[in-house]
Amino acid sequence: MSSEFTWEVRVYYEDTDAGGIVYYANYLKFFERARTEWLRAIGIGQQVLLEEHDAMFVVKNVSADYHAPAKLDDALSLTLVIEKLGRASVVFRQQAWRGTTLLNTAHVKVGCVDSALRPRAVPDAAAERMRAYVA
């Protein structure tokens, strides 16, 4: 299995500013959706994770570098790899591409918490599935 996950998205009018360029904060939304789709693809349902394991992921830190603009109607490929899988956190490298042009690179750290928002270990079954995506 490849250590990289890819999810495709199209840029809609609602994603852009007045100039037809993707508004900078919308990359964070794209990356959030890609992480959700990745979890689904590896068989981890976020609602099940919460209900059966009292675990959920929350974003702790994000840094993003903007390399080139995405525009209305562009087809984007969003990639994801895990840079570090810790006991209670995961650091992702996520990128947005238009063909072979890199548009954005983000490093996103998520923490695993319980329903009271206290840190907790990533459930073993989830951590095992995630290991295949460690770069």
Side-chain angles (χ1 to χ4, degrees), residues 99-122:
T100 59
T101 302
L102 178 60
L103 306 176
N104 189 296
T105 301
H107 293 88
V108 181
K109 182 175 187 176
V110 299
C112 188
V113 297
D114 65 19
S115 55
L117 302 179
R118 294 178 302 239
R120 62 146 296 157
V122 175

Side-chain angles (χ1 to χ4, degrees), residues 30-48:
F30 293 157
F31 291 147
E32 176 75 28
R33 292 174 193 158
R35 288 192 308 278
T36 297
E37 294 302 326
W38 167 73
L39 284 170
R40 276 194 187 107
I42 65 172
I44 300 172
Q46 292 186 75
Q47 193 63 35
V48 171

Side-chain angles (χ1 to χ4, degrees), residues 26-128:
N26 285 337
Y27 287 97
L28 299 179
K29 291 180 180 184
F30 293 157
F31 291 147
E32 176 75 28
R33 292 174 193 158
R35 288 192 308 278
T36 297
E37 294 302 326
W38 167 73
L39 284 170
R40 276 194 187 107
I42 65 172
I44 300 172
Q46 292 186 75
Q47 193 63 35
V48 171
L49 199 63
L50 182 59
E51 290 171 359
E52 295 182 7
H53 300 281
D54 192 27
M56 60 184 165
F57 296 105
V58 295
V59 173
K60 181 176 182 344
N61 183 279
V62 175
S63 66
D65 290 317
Y66 299 87
H67 309 291
K71 298 177 182 173
L72 181 64
D73 290 329
D74 282 351
L76 307 181
S77 295
L78 306 175
T79 62
L80 168 157
V81 295
I82 294 175
E83 290 190 329
K84 181 180 179 191
L85 178 58
R87 183 174 175 276
S89 64
V90 185
V91 178
F92 296 95
R93 182 182 72 239
Q94 294 187 253
Q95 295 181 313
W97 297 83
R98 181 185 53 241
T100 59
T101 302
L102 178 60
L103 306 176
N104 189 296
T105 301
H107 293 88
V108 181
K109 182 175 187 176
V110 299
C112 188
V113 297
D114 65 19
S115 55
L117 302 179
R118 294 178 302 239
R120 62 146 296 157
V122 175
D124 291 340
E128 185 59 36

